Amino acid sequence: MATDANSVRITGKVQGRDITLEGGLSKEEIRGRLWWWRTSGSESAGARGDRGHEYDDSQRDVIATLGGYYRVPGDPHRQEAQELLELVYAELNPAD
């Protein structure tokens, strides 16, 4: 898991899946990728075979940003999840 500042890319491991977040993503797109198991009702999640996936907190879900490593909370509606979303968005979109 690393952050490549030259290409504005953040990587992580969430629910056992390697994820990559790239510059230009909206907050909703970032939220969808960080909490993909919660998007079981969307077509894209069903196409990936993630429909009905339950959150398993036995593994540590983390992303690596320029500021360090952050744990991805299981509930995307908690305050710490919103703060993480804002931080990731700011790093991916530094010109905004």
Side-chain angles (χ1 to χ4, degrees), residues 12-13 16 18 33 36-37 48 54 57 62 71 75 79 91 93:
K13 190 157 198 98
D18 293 323
R33 292 191 187 175
W36 56 268
W37 68 91
R48 289 190 312 254
E54 296 292 324
D57 65 355
V62 296
R71 186 173 187 278
D75 183 353
Q79 180 62 32
E91 283 199 18
N93 301 285

PDB file of all heavy atoms in Angstrom, residues 12-13 16 18 33 36-37 48 54 57 62 71 75 79 91 93:
ATOM      1  N   GLY A  12      -4.943   0.996  -1.119  1.00  0.00           N
ATOM      2  CA  GLY A  12      -5.284   0.440   0.176  1.00  0.00           C
ATOM      3  C   GLY A  12      -5.760  -0.990   0.059  1.00  0.00           C
ATOM      4  O   GLY A  12      -5.795  -1.571  -1.029  1.00  0.00           O
ATOM      5  N   LYS A  13      -6.103  -1.550   1.195  1.00  0.00           N
ATOM      6  CA  LYS A  13      -6.648  -2.900   1.245  1.00  0.00           C
ATOM      7  C   LYS A  13      -7.887  -2.839   2.117  1.00  0.00           C
ATOM      8  O   LYS A  13      -7.806  -2.522   3.300  1.00  0.00           O
ATOM      9  CB  LYS A  13      -5.630  -3.871   1.801  1.00  0.00           C
ATOM     10  CG  LYS A  13      -6.068  -5.304   1.658  1.00  0.00           C
ATOM     11  CD  LYS A  13      -4.846  -6.206   1.694  1.00  0.00           C
ATOM     12  CE  LYS A  13      -5.137  -7.562   1.148  1.00  0.00           C
ATOM     13  NZ  LYS A  13      -4.740  -7.742  -0.220  1.00  0.00           N
ATOM     14  N   GLY A  16     -10.097  -7.261   2.262  1.00  0.00           N
ATOM     15  CA  GLY A  16      -9.279  -8.226   1.539  1.00  0.00           C
ATOM     16  C   GLY A  16      -9.049  -7.882   0.080  1.00  0.00           C
ATOM     17  O   GLY A  16      -8.392  -8.622  -0.633  1.00  0.00           O
ATOM     18  N   ASP A  18      -7.553  -5.236  -2.809  1.00  0.00           N
ATOM     19  CA  ASP A  18      -6.702  -4.088  -3.091  1.00  0.00           C
ATOM     20  C   ASP A  18      -7.517  -3.068  -3.860  1.00  0.00           C
ATOM     21  O   ASP A  18      -8.195  -3.413  -4.833  1.00  0.00           O
ATOM     22  CB  ASP A  18      -5.485  -4.499  -3.928  1.00  0.00           C
ATOM     23  CG  ASP A  18      -4.541  -5.403  -3.159  1.00  0.00           C
ATOM     24  OD1 ASP A  18      -4.376  -5.180  -1.941  1.00  0.00           O
ATOM     25  OD2 ASP A  18      -3.960  -6.310  -3.764  1.00  0.00           O
ATOM     26  N   ARG A  33     -15.919   3.368  -3.483  1.00  0.00           N
ATOM     27  CA  ARG A  33     -14.756   2.461  -3.536  1.00  0.00           C
ATOM     28  C   ARG A  33     -14.255   2.084  -2.157  1.00  0.00           C
ATOM     29  O   ARG A  33     -13.782   0.973  -1.955  1.00  0.00           O
ATOM     30  CB  ARG A  33     -13.653   3.095  -4.367  1.00  0.00           C
ATOM     31  CG  ARG A  33     -14.073   3.170  -5.822  1.00  0.00           C
ATOM     32  CD  ARG A  33     -12.964   3.531  -6.725  1.00  0.00           C
ATOM     33  NE  ARG A  33     -13.490   3.733  -8.072  1.00  0.00           N
ATOM     34  CZ  ARG A  33     -12.768   4.150  -9.071  1.00  0.00           C
ATOM     35  NH1 ARG A  33     -11.500   4.406  -8.894  1.00  0.00           N
ATOM     36  NH2 ARG A  33     -13.311   4.308 -10.250  1.00  0.00           N
ATOM     37  N   TRP A  36     -17.242  -0.350  -0.673  1.00  0.00           N
ATOM     38  CA  TRP A  36     -17.854  -1.077  -1.788  1.00  0.00           C
ATOM     39  C   TRP A  36     -18.819  -2.149  -1.321  1.00  0.00           C
ATOM     40  O   TRP A  36     -19.786  -2.447  -1.995  1.00  0.00           O
ATOM     41  CB  TRP A  36     -16.788  -1.676  -2.699  1.00  0.00           C
ATOM     42  CG  TRP A  36     -15.818  -2.570  -1.994  1.00  0.00           C
ATOM     43  CD1 TRP A  36     -14.628  -2.219  -1.446  1.00  0.00           C
ATOM     44  CD2 TRP A  36     -15.961  -3.968  -1.748  1.00  0.00           C
ATOM     45  NE1 TRP A  36     -14.023  -3.297  -0.858  1.00  0.00           N
ATOM     46  CE2 TRP A  36     -14.819  -4.388  -1.037  1.00  0.00           C
ATOM     47  CE3 TRP A  36     -16.939  -4.897  -2.059  1.00  0.00           C
ATOM     48  CZ2 TRP A  36     -14.639  -5.701  -0.631  1.00  0.00           C
ATOM     49  CZ3 TRP A  36     -16.758  -6.213  -1.649  1.00  0.00           C
ATOM     50  CH2 TRP A  36     -15.614  -6.589  -0.946  1.00  0.00           C
ATOM     51  N   TRP A  37     -18.588  -2.757  -0.189  1.00  0.00           N
ATOM     52  CA  TRP A  37     -19.477  -3.824   0.270  1.00  0.00           C
ATOM     53  C   TRP A  37     -20.833  -3.263   0.695  1.00  0.00           C
ATOM     54  O   TRP A  37     -21.797  -4.002   0.798  1.00  0.00           O
ATOM     55  CB  TRP A  37     -18.842  -4.607   1.417  1.00  0.00           C
ATOM     56  CG  TRP A  37     -18.700  -3.814   2.682  1.00  0.00           C
ATOM     57  CD1 TRP A  37     -19.603  -3.737   3.704  1.00  0.00           C
ATOM     58  CD2 TRP A  37     -17.621  -2.976   3.056  1.00  0.00           C
ATOM     59  NE1 TRP A  37     -19.142  -2.902   4.682  1.00  0.00           N
ATOM     60  CE2 TRP A  37     -17.919  -2.430   4.309  1.00  0.00           C
ATOM     61  CE3 TRP A  37     -16.409  -2.647   2.463  1.00  0.00           C
ATOM     62  CZ2 TRP A  37     -17.056  -1.546   4.968  1.00  0.00           C
ATOM     63  CZ3 TRP A  37     -15.562  -1.777   3.120  1.00  0.00           C
ATOM     64  CH2 TRP A  37     -15.893  -1.245   4.347  1.00  0.00           C
ATOM     65  N   ARG A  48     -19.950  -6.912 -10.137  1.00  0.00           N
ATOM     66  CA  ARG A  48     -18.684  -7.408  -9.582  1.00  0.00           C
ATOM     67  C   ARG A  48     -18.905  -8.635  -8.717  1.00  0.00           C
ATOM     68  O   ARG A  48     -17.955  -9.237  -8.235  1.00  0.00           O
ATOM     69  CB  ARG A  48     -18.034  -6.312  -8.731  1.00  0.00           C
ATOM     70  CG  ARG A  48     -17.491  -5.158  -9.519  1.00  0.00           C
ATOM     71  CD  ARG A  48     -16.657  -4.251  -8.633  1.00  0.00           C
ATOM     72  NE  ARG A  48     -17.300  -3.906  -7.393  1.00  0.00           N
ATOM     73  CZ  ARG A  48     -17.832  -2.721  -7.103  1.00  0.00           C
ATOM     74  NH1 ARG A  48     -17.827  -1.772  -7.993  1.00  0.00           N
ATOM     75  NH2 ARG A  48     -18.376  -2.497  -5.931  1.00  0.00           N
ATOM     76  N   GLU A  54     -21.178  -8.885   3.538  1.00  0.00           N
ATOM     77  CA  GLU A  54     -21.256  -8.376   4.903  1.00  0.00           C
ATOM     78  C   GLU A  54     -19.897  -7.851   5.331  1.00  0.00           C
ATOM     79  O   GLU A  54     -18.873  -8.372   4.918  1.00  0.00           O
ATOM     80  CB  GLU A  54     -21.685  -9.489   5.859  1.00  0.00           C
ATOM     81  CG  GLU A  54     -23.071 -10.027   5.593  1.00  0.00           C
ATOM     82  CD  GLU A  54     -24.146  -8.994   5.899  1.00  0.00           C
ATOM     83  OE1 GLU A  54     -23.989  -8.218   6.859  1.00  0.00           O
ATOM     84  OE2 GLU A  54     -25.146  -8.964   5.164  1.00  0.00           O
ATOM     85  N   ASP A  57     -14.925  -7.296  10.219  1.00  0.00           N
ATOM     86  CA  ASP A  57     -13.898  -6.467  10.841  1.00  0.00           C
ATOM     87  C   ASP A  57     -12.740  -7.279  11.407  1.00  0.00           C
ATOM     88  O   ASP A  57     -11.942  -6.772  12.179  1.00  0.00           O
ATOM     89  CB  ASP A  57     -14.508  -5.562  11.908  1.00  0.00           C
ATOM     90  CG  ASP A  57     -15.080  -6.329  13.089  1.00  0.00           C
ATOM     91  OD1 ASP A  57     -15.097  -7.573  13.050  1.00  0.00           O
ATOM     92  OD2 ASP A  57     -15.521  -5.669  14.048  1.00  0.00           O
ATOM     93  N   VAL A  62      -7.269  -0.609   5.611  1.00  0.00           N
ATOM     94  CA  VAL A  62      -6.458   0.602   5.676  1.00  0.00           C
ATOM     95  C   VAL A  62      -6.209   1.172   4.283  1.00  0.00           C
ATOM     96  O   VAL A  62      -6.253   0.453   3.289  1.00  0.00           O
ATOM     97  CB  VAL A  62      -5.100   0.357   6.356  1.00  0.00           C
ATOM     98  CG1 VAL A  62      -5.263  -0.036   7.813  1.00  0.00           C
ATOM     99  CG2 VAL A  62      -4.284  -0.687   5.611  1.00  0.00           C
ATOM    100  N   ARG A  71      -7.221   3.909   9.028  1.00  0.00           N
ATOM    101  CA  ARG A  71      -8.138   2.775   9.072  1.00  0.00           C
ATOM    102  C   ARG A  71      -9.461   3.197   8.448  1.00  0.00           C
ATOM    103  O   ARG A  71      -9.964   4.287   8.716  1.00  0.00           O
ATOM    104  CB  ARG A  71      -8.366   2.340  10.513  1.00  0.00           C
ATOM    105  CG  ARG A  71      -9.188   1.076  10.613  1.00  0.00           C
ATOM    106  CD  ARG A  71      -9.260   0.580  12.044  1.00  0.00           C
ATOM    107  NE  ARG A  71      -9.911  -0.704  12.093  1.00  0.00           N
ATOM    108  CZ  ARG A  71     -11.234  -0.861  12.098  1.00  0.00           C
ATOM    109  NH1 ARG A  71     -12.009   0.183  12.061  1.00  0.00           N
ATOM    110  NH2 ARG A  71     -11.746  -2.074  12.149  1.00  0.00           N
ATOM    111  N   ASP A  75     -18.498   1.523   9.212  1.00  0.00           N
ATOM    112  CA  ASP A  75     -19.732   2.264   8.967  1.00  0.00           C
ATOM    113  C   ASP A  75     -19.401   3.574   8.250  1.00  0.00           C
ATOM    114  O   ASP A  75     -18.785   4.463   8.830  1.00  0.00           O
ATOM    115  CB  ASP A  75     -20.427   2.556  10.293  1.00  0.00           C
ATOM    116  CG  ASP A  75     -21.757   3.254  10.126  1.00  0.00           C
ATOM    117  OD1 ASP A  75     -22.112   3.646   8.988  1.00  0.00           O
ATOM    118  OD2 ASP A  75     -22.443   3.410  11.139  1.00  0.00           O
ATOM    119  N   GLN A  79     -18.719   9.773  11.904  1.00  0.00           N
ATOM    120  CA  GLN A  79     -17.964  11.016  11.734  1.00  0.00           C
ATOM    121  C   GLN A  79     -16.549  10.741  11.245  1.00  0.00           C
ATOM    122  O   GLN A  79     -16.044  11.438  10.373  1.00  0.00           O
ATOM    123  CB  GLN A  79     -17.933  11.802  13.054  1.00  0.00           C
ATOM    124  CG  GLN A  79     -17.175  13.115  12.965  1.00  0.00           C
ATOM    125  CD  GLN A  79     -17.772  14.092  11.974  1.00  0.00           C
ATOM    126  OE1 GLN A  79     -18.982  14.119  11.779  1.00  0.00           O
ATOM    127  NE2 GLN A  79     -16.940  14.888  11.343  1.00  0.00           N
ATOM    128  N   GLU A  91      -6.625  15.137  -0.901  1.00  0.00           N
ATOM    129  CA  GLU A  91      -5.346  14.662  -1.442  1.00  0.00           C
ATOM    130  C   GLU A  91      -5.454  14.311  -2.922  1.00  0.00           C
ATOM    131  O   GLU A  91      -4.518  14.526  -3.678  1.00  0.00           O
ATOM    132  CB  GLU A  91      -4.840  13.461  -0.660  1.00  0.00           C
ATOM    133  CG  GLU A  91      -4.237  13.855   0.659  1.00  0.00           C
ATOM    134  CD  GLU A  91      -3.352  12.794   1.244  1.00  0.00           C
ATOM    135  OE1 GLU A  91      -2.904  11.881   0.531  1.00  0.00           O
ATOM    136  OE2 GLU A  91      -3.099  12.875   2.450  1.00  0.00           O
ATOM    137  N   ASN A  93      -7.549  15.639  -5.076  1.00  0.00           N
ATOM    138  CA  ASN A  93      -7.943  16.819  -5.847  1.00  0.00           C
ATOM    139  C   ASN A  93      -7.318  18.065  -5.242  1.00  0.00           C
ATOM    140  O   ASN A  93      -8.019  18.949  -4.733  1.00  0.00           O
ATOM    141  CB  ASN A  93      -9.472  16.934  -5.870  1.00  0.00           C
ATOM    142  CG  ASN A  93     -10.118  15.715  -6.463  1.00  0.00           C
ATOM    143  OD1 ASN A  93     -10.095  15.518  -7.658  1.00  0.00           O
ATOM    144  ND2 ASN A  93     -10.673  14.864  -5.608  1.00  0.00           N
TER     145      ASN A  93
END
